[in-house]
Amino acid sequence: MTAEDVGEQPGAGGLFAILKRGAALSAAGVASVQVIALVQTLVLAHLLSPSEVGVFTAGTVLTGFVVVFSHSSLSHALIQRRDQLADAAETVFWATLVSGAVLAGLLLATAPVLSHIFGNSQVGRVAAISSGTVLFTSLLAVPDALMQRDFQFKRRVIVDPLNAATFAIVAIGLAAAGFGVWALVTGYYVSVAVSVIAAWWLSGWRPGRGRFRVGLWRELAVFAFPLLLESVVERAIEAGEVVLVGHRLHTSALGNYRNGRRLAFLPVMAIIQICSYVLFPAFARIAGERERFRRGFLTALGWMWLAVIPASALLAALGEPAVTLLLGAQWRGAGQLVEAMCGVGAGYALMSVCAEALKGAGRPQLINWMTGVGAVSAIPLILLLLPHGLTGVGVALSISALATGLTGLILAGKVVGVSRGELLRCLVPTLLAGVIAAVATGLLEHQVVHAGARGVAPGLALIVLETLGFVGIFVLVLQAISPSTLRPLWSAARRG
């Protein structure tokens, strides 16, 4: 957003200054997390086999699923809350803590089921030992929400990088010492514990400053329920993906799936997290001013799209050779998945901006339509395309994400008051430039250069050159068909 979008002069401070500072701090924090995650993934890929990574993925499949019950949805309700904040924080704390303890017990009890599903007894042991992380994660709900609500970006700048660094250091150290899958489990535990300590210290919040109120919990739950449903369905889809890949293919394929999915999401989710962290509280503050809200939505959508489309298109063109060179030949399946998931970034970009706008406008129930589209499309598409291996899985995820994102665009457009013509002018030029650049670069790689078949050093050097060529083609095409799209970027570069 610009100062004009939020109704302020650039030098006047206020919300614009907060958003500008927050975006910069969030960018720094997320960038550091993504760099750490990339290095950690590359190093662990050479220390652990695809099967070991697959066992960890299978063993923690339900952990990520149940976290949404003990953390995220009530956190959003607390961010949106305008009164009785002390009591609301106390209520969220005890509700999430109790649910975290109950869910940790359920995960421990059901761990043997995962051994049966995946045909591997070690999967059940990993699940049983990892179940306690759910209880630790529930302790993050209130500190995280209060920091985001008050535009305190310590969460992004300190807590998240600390979490990533702790996991990387512990997991890499133990993997190098020969602990195998347990290196990942231990890293998972230690990183969550460190995050809890850092979040409580930085937020300054402590329980006991308010009181738990059943009536207030009901109010918070009404707002949180659509978001809970969205998160549950999203995590259920992810769990379904893991079960299908691990059961129908093999744990080694599941290891390739995990690393491929992580690498495909790295550049895209970095961009989305930087923006979405400030969009929800910002939209919530300007939602009552229709024109201001409309301008802010279009600006946020345009910037998000301009950042995500080139990253996604580049993955489509060079994903497989780049991943193979970085991780090794045994991870070629991860590279194939990265290329096939190129549409996921575009879909998630639309989902992110639209969901934050709907939440900010106080219409979170509309997000359930997006949730429904994702629920009815992802798993059936994976089942249909699974015979094509990880490439089929990636294509299914891309189609589902795009369908969900377009649904969100239709819903948010109506709520915000944006016409279809405005949306097309905002999105089509960047998409067209990305497609042309991806096709040209992909043809050059697969028909002429073949960087993935060369040695690591010369292969990566060629990938860098192809990336520079991609950027040049993208900018030239976009400048030719829509100069106004790049004009704010050039202006920002000159001011910088």
Side-chain angles (χ1 to χ4, degrees), residues 308-319:
V308 167
I309 288 301
S312 298
L314 188 60
L315 289 179
L318 301 176

Side-chain angles (χ1 to χ4, degrees), residues 358 366-370 406-416:
L358 292 172
L366 292 179
I367 297 175
N368 291 157
W369 287 98
M370 297 166 58
L406 290 173
T407 301
L409 196 62
I410 294 171
L411 294 170
K414 292 179 179 178
V415 170
V416 177

Side-chain angles (χ1 to χ4, degrees), residues 180-227:
V181 67
W182 302 110
L184 299 176
V185 175
T186 306
Y188 190 17
Y189 256 107
V190 176
S191 63
V192 173
V194 168
S195 295
V196 171
I197 294 170
W200 278 62
W201 174 52
L202 292 169
S203 71
W205 180 85
R206 300 294 182 270
R209 298 176 180 178
R211 61 190 182 93
F212 179 89
R213 294 172 50 197
V214 175
L216 188 54
W217 173 79
R218 289 173 181 164
E219 291 179 24
L220 295 167
V222 168
F223 180 90
F225 181 74
L227 305 178

Side-chain angles (χ1 to χ4, degrees), residues 130-142:
S130 300
S131 61
T133 57
V134 177
L135 181 59
F136 282 122
T137 303
S138 69
L139 296 172
L140 287 167
V142 174

Side-chain angles (χ1 to χ4, degrees), residues 76-139:
H76 284 98
L78 185 57
I79 294 170
Q80 198 267 350
R81 191 76 189 181
R82 291 290 172 266
D83 58 358
Q84 301 175 302
L85 190 60
D87 288 351
E90 193 76 13
T91 300
V92 171
F93 171 73
W94 288 108
T96 53
L97 182 63
V98 170
S99 64
V102 171
L103 291 168
L106 289 175
L107 285 181
L108 180 62
T110 57
V113 177
L114 292 180
S115 291
H116 176 72
I117 291 174
F118 291 98
N120 189 318
S121 60
Q122 195 174 32
V123 169
R125 292 195 293 272
V126 169
I129 294 175
S130 300
S131 61
T133 57
V134 177
L135 181 59
F136 282 122
T137 303
S138 69
L139 296 172

Side-chain angles (χ1 to χ4, degrees), residues 138-465:
S138 69
L139 296 172
L140 287 167
V142 174
D144 279 0
L146 292 178
M147 283 191 285
Q148 185 175 357
R149 182 184 185 277
D150 294 334
F151 293 104
Q152 295 180 20
F153 301 100
K154 299 172 184 175
R155 176 73 167 89
R156 285 283 186 247
V157 178
I158 299 176
V159 180
D160 288 349
L162 191 59
N163 175 285
T166 302
F167 179 85
I169 292 170
V170 174
I172 290 173
L174 293 179
F179 283 84
V181 67
W182 302 110
L184 299 176
V185 175
T186 306
Y188 190 17
Y189 256 107
V190 176
S191 63
V192 173
V194 168
S195 295
V196 171
I197 294 170
W200 278 62
W201 174 52
L202 292 169
S203 71
W205 180 85
R206 300 294 182 270
R209 298 176 180 178
R211 61 190 182 93
F212 179 89
R213 294 172 50 197
V214 175
L216 188 54
W217 173 79
R218 289 173 181 164
E219 291 179 24
L220 295 167
V222 168
F223 180 90
F225 181 74
L227 305 178
L228 174 64
L229 186 60
E230 176 204 13
S231 297
V232 167
V233 172
E234 181 180 340
R235 295 300 178 90
I237 292 171
E238 291 179 16
E241 295 168 17
V242 171
V243 171
L244 287 173
V245 172
H247 182 70
R248 293 286 187 89
L249 299 179
H250 192 269
T251 52
S252 61
L254 189 55
N256 271 282
Y257 162 84
R258 181 180 188 270
N259 276 351
R261 199 177 193 277
R262 284 171 60 85
L263 291 172
F265 271 111
L266 273 180
V268 171
M269 294 311 293
I271 297 165
I272 291 174
Q273 287 173 10
I274 290 168
C275 298
S276 63
Y277 193 74
V278 299
L279 285 183
F280 175 31
F283 283 154
R285 294 195 183 190
I286 66 174
E289 304 172 53
R290 190 168 183 82
E291 180 57 25
R292 191 180 176 193
F293 192 18
R294 189 188 69 83
R295 289 201 314 268
F297 174 79
L298 281 173
T299 302
L301 182 64
W303 278 102
M304 180 83 82
W305 197 246
L306 183 60
V308 167
I309 288 301
S312 298
L314 188 60
L315 289 179
L318 301 176
E320 182 182 349
V323 171
T324 303
L325 288 168
L326 289 169
L327 270 62
Q330 63 177 337
W331 297 98
R332 186 175 299 277
Q336 295 169 350
L337 181 67
V338 166
E339 287 193 354
M341 285 182 63
C342 61
V344 171
Y348 270 73
L350 298 178
M351 282 186 255
S352 176
V353 178
C354 295
E356 304 308 326
L358 292 172
K359 288 188 291 185
R363 304 286 296 277
Q365 66 275 10
L366 292 179
I367 297 175
N368 291 157
W369 287 98
M370 297 166 58
T371 304
V373 171
V376 302
S377 61
I379 298 301
L381 284 169
I382 291 174
L383 284 170
L384 179 66
L385 297 174
L386 194 59
H388 298 283
L390 291 177
T391 298
V393 173
V395 171
L397 295 177
S398 290
I399 295 173
S400 178
L402 288 169
T404 305
L406 290 173
T407 301
L409 196 62
I410 294 171
L411 294 170
K414 292 179 179 178
V415 170
V416 177
V418 178
S419 69
R420 292 183 181 179
E422 289 175 308
L423 292 175
L424 289 174
R425 287 191 294 274
C426 180
L427 302 178
V428 170
T430 304
L431 179 61
L432 184 59
V435 170
I436 292 173
V439 170
T441 306
L443 288 174
L444 178 66
E445 163 61 25
H446 294 287
Q447 299 297 324
V448 179
V449 178
H450 303 293
R454 302 175 187 270
V456 175
L460 290 176
L462 290 171
I463 291 290
V464 171
L465 291 176

